[in-house]
Amino acid sequence: ITNSGTINHKVNLFTSKGLITNNGTINNYATMKNDVYGIVNNNSNIVNNSNFNNSHIINNKASSFINNRNTFTNDKTVNIEATSTINNYSSFTNNDLLNIIANGVYVNKSQSTTTNTKIIDNFGLITIEDSSTLHLNATSDLNNKANANINNNGTINSKKTSTFINDGTFTNKSGNETMRGLVNIYGLVKNNNIVSNSGKFDIKADQGLFENYLNLTNDSIIISAGTIKNFKVATTTNNHYILNNNLIKNYGTMTNTKTIRNLSGTIENYNSLNNTASGSITNKNVFINKGLSPTNNDNVSMTGILPTIENTGNYINESGTLTNYGKINNNLTTGTFTNAFTLINETTGVFNNHNSLTN
C-alpha cells in the first residue's frame, strides 16, 4: 500500500503483513496491526486514536510524525529516524526495541504513560513532560547514548532489576513543589557522563542503586534509603540537599556547598570530601574517613590515596560516630567542627584544626 492521501480506518481490524509506505495521513479509529513481516515506512503523519499494535518494523522517516492518542503497543521494532517525532498523548508500551536515532525525538506528553518492558536505545532526545510517567519495568533497559539527551519534567519509575545507563546528558528538571521532575530508583541507575538534578531523586531501599562514574550535580533534593556510589574519577557536587538513610561510598570527589544530612545511614569516604564555606554536614549515625590506600569490596584501586575531609564550612557530629583513619582538615577562618557524641581518631588518623573545634 502506498498512501499519498488520507486513510481513515474506522471499524474492525486492519492487518498488514506487507509494506505500507505512507506519504499522506493515516487516521486509526479502530484496531490496526502491523503484523509479522509487516513494514511501515511513515514519511508523513500517522494518528492513532484507538489501538495500534506493531509486531514487526515501523520506520518513522525524516520530518514525519506518529501521534498516539490512545493505546500503542510495540512488540518488535520502532525506529524514530533523524528529525522525526513520536508524540505519546496516552499509553505507549514498548515490549521489544524502541530505537531513537540521532536527532530523533520521543515526547511523553502531559498526563501520558510510557511503559518499557525491554529496551529503549536513545541516540536523540526523550522528553518526559509535566504530569507524565515513564515506567522502566523489571529487567528492562533504558540506554541514553553518547550525545543523547533525556529531559524529565514528570516521573520516572526505575523498578527493581531495571537498568538505566546514561552515557549522554540526563536532566531532571525543576518545577513547583508538586510537579517537579521525580526519579524513583528501585533498580540501577548508572551515570557515565552528565546528570543534573533540579527535581528530586528518591533512591529506594533494598535494590535502589545510583552509581556515578563522571559528573553528578544536585541543585535540589536527593533522598536515599538505597545506595549511592561515587567512583574514582567521578565528581558529585551538592548545591542543595542530600539526605542519607543507608549507604554513601565516595571513591572520587564530593563537594558540598549546602546541606548533607546522614540520619540513619553510613557515609564512607575513600578519597576527597570538600565541605565548602557555605556547606553543612550533619552526622547522626556512622561516618568513616578511611585510611591510606583503602581497600574496598567494589574492587576500586585506591593505592597511594589518603582519604581527606576538607572542612571550611560547618561539620556537626550530632548523635553519631565519626571515625577517622585518614586526614581531616578543619580550615582557617570559616571551618567549624562540633562533636556532640563520639569522635574516634585512630592511630593512623590526623586531625588538623585551624579554626573552631567544639567537643
Side-chain angles (χ1 to χ4, degrees):
I1 298 173
T2 299
N3 174 49
S4 297
T6 300
I7 296 175
N8 295 314
H9 174 57
K10 294 189 174 183
V11 294
N12 297 325
L13 175 64
F14 182 122
T15 301
S16 174
K17 296 183 179 180
L19 173 64
I20 296 176
T21 300
N22 178 45
N23 301 316
T25 299
I26 297 176
N27 295 308
N28 176 44
Y29 299 95
T31 300
M32 292 191 73
K33 184 172 185 179
N34 185 45
D35 214 338
V36 177
Y37 306 117
I39 297 174
V40 177
N41 291 323
N42 179 41
N43 297 303
S44 186
N45 193 28
I46 296 175
V47 181
N48 176 46
N49 296 293
S50 186
N51 295 294
F52 197 113
N53 176 264
N54 176 51
S55 295
H56 198 221
I57 297 172
I58 295 176
N59 297 311
N60 204 40
K61 297 290 187 176
S63 302
S64 64
F65 290 87
I66 296 176
N67 293 310
N68 176 49
R69 298 185 180 276
N70 203 319
T71 302
F72 193 111
T73 304
N74 175 44
D75 291 324
K76 196 60 178 176
T77 302
V78 173
N79 294 310
I80 306 175
E81 297 187 10
T83 71
S84 74
T85 302
I86 290 183
N87 292 310
N88 176 41
Y89 292 88
S90 185
S91 175
F92 187 104
T93 301
N94 176 54
N95 294 322
D96 201 325
L97 175 62
L98 176 60
N99 185 32
I100 305 163
I101 295 168
N103 298 313
V105 177
Y106 182 91
V107 182
N108 207 42
K109 293 289 188 177
S110 182
Q111 307 298 323
S112 69
T113 300
T114 296
T115 302
N116 179 45
T117 68
K118 199 70 176 290
I119 299 171
I120 298 176
D121 283 338
N122 178 43
F123 296 85
L125 172 64
I126 295 175
T127 298
I128 301 151
E129 292 189 351
D130 284 348
S131 303
S132 73
T133 304
L134 169 61
H135 295 295
L136 304 177
N137 282 6
T139 72
S140 71
D141 295 295
L142 170 58
N143 301 307
N144 193 43
K145 302 291 189 176
N147 302 313
N149 289 274
I150 297 177
N151 296 325
N152 179 46
N153 297 280
T155 299
I156 297 175
N157 292 315
S158 176
K159 298 182 180 181
K160 282 186 179 181
T161 69
S162 69
T163 302
F164 174 10
I165 297 177
N166 177 54
D167 293 313
T169 300
F170 174 53
T171 305
N172 193 43
K173 295 200 169 182
S174 61
N176 60 43
E177 286 298 317
T178 59
M179 294 181 67
R180 74 171 77 241
L182 171 62
V183 182
N184 293 312
I185 302 173
Y186 298 86
L188 169 64
V189 175
K190 181 179 179 180
N191 175 46
N192 295 318
N193 199 32
I194 297 172
V195 170
S196 298
N197 177 45
S198 298
K200 181 180 180 182
F201 280 7
D202 194 345
I203 305 168
K204 303 295 187 177
D206 192 8
Q207 296 181 37
L209 173 60
F210 187 97
E211 294 184 344
N212 181 38
Y213 288 85
L214 199 57
N215 291 307
L216 166 64
T217 301
N218 177 46
D219 292 316
S220 189
I221 299 170
I222 297 176
I223 297 175
S224 180
T227 301
I228 299 172
K229 296 180 181 181
N230 192 53
F231 281 88
K232 191 173 181 179
V233 298
T235 299
T236 293
T237 303
N238 176 49
N239 296 320
H240 195 64
Y241 188 79
I242 295 177
L243 188 152
N244 179 48
N245 284 311
N246 190 44
L247 180 62
I248 296 175
K249 302 177 80 169
N250 176 41
Y251 297 108
T253 300
M254 290 189 70
T255 300
N256 178 49
T257 69
K258 193 76 178 281
T259 302
I260 295 176
R261 290 179 61 82
N262 185 42
L263 297 186
S264 59
T266 298
I267 296 178
E268 297 176 352
N269 181 47
Y270 293 80
N271 201 336
S272 175
L273 194 158
N274 181 23
N275 190 38
T276 67
S278 59
S280 175
I281 298 175
T282 300
N283 178 44
K284 299 184 74 171
N285 200 47
V286 177
F287 201 118
I288 303 171
N289 189 45
K290 298 286 185 172
L292 180 67
S293 303
T295 58
N296 58 87
N297 57 11
D298 289 305
N299 297 316
V300 180
S301 176
M302 306 301 292
T303 303
I305 292 174
L306 178 63
T308 301
I309 298 173
E310 296 284 351
N311 182 49
T312 314
N314 191 19
Y315 187 103
I316 304 169
N317 194 44
E318 185 174 307
S319 56
T321 299
L322 169 62
T323 304
N324 179 42
Y325 296 88
K327 180 190 287 186
I328 298 175
N329 293 321
N330 193 43
N331 291 319
L332 288 169
T333 310
T334 58
T336 301
F337 198 100
T338 303
N339 178 46
F341 203 69
T342 303
L343 190 159
I344 302 171
N345 196 44
E346 295 285 358
T347 56
T348 58
V350 175
F351 193 115
N352 295 314
N353 179 45
H354 298 285
N355 196 38
S356 175
L357 173 61
T358 302
N359 184 38

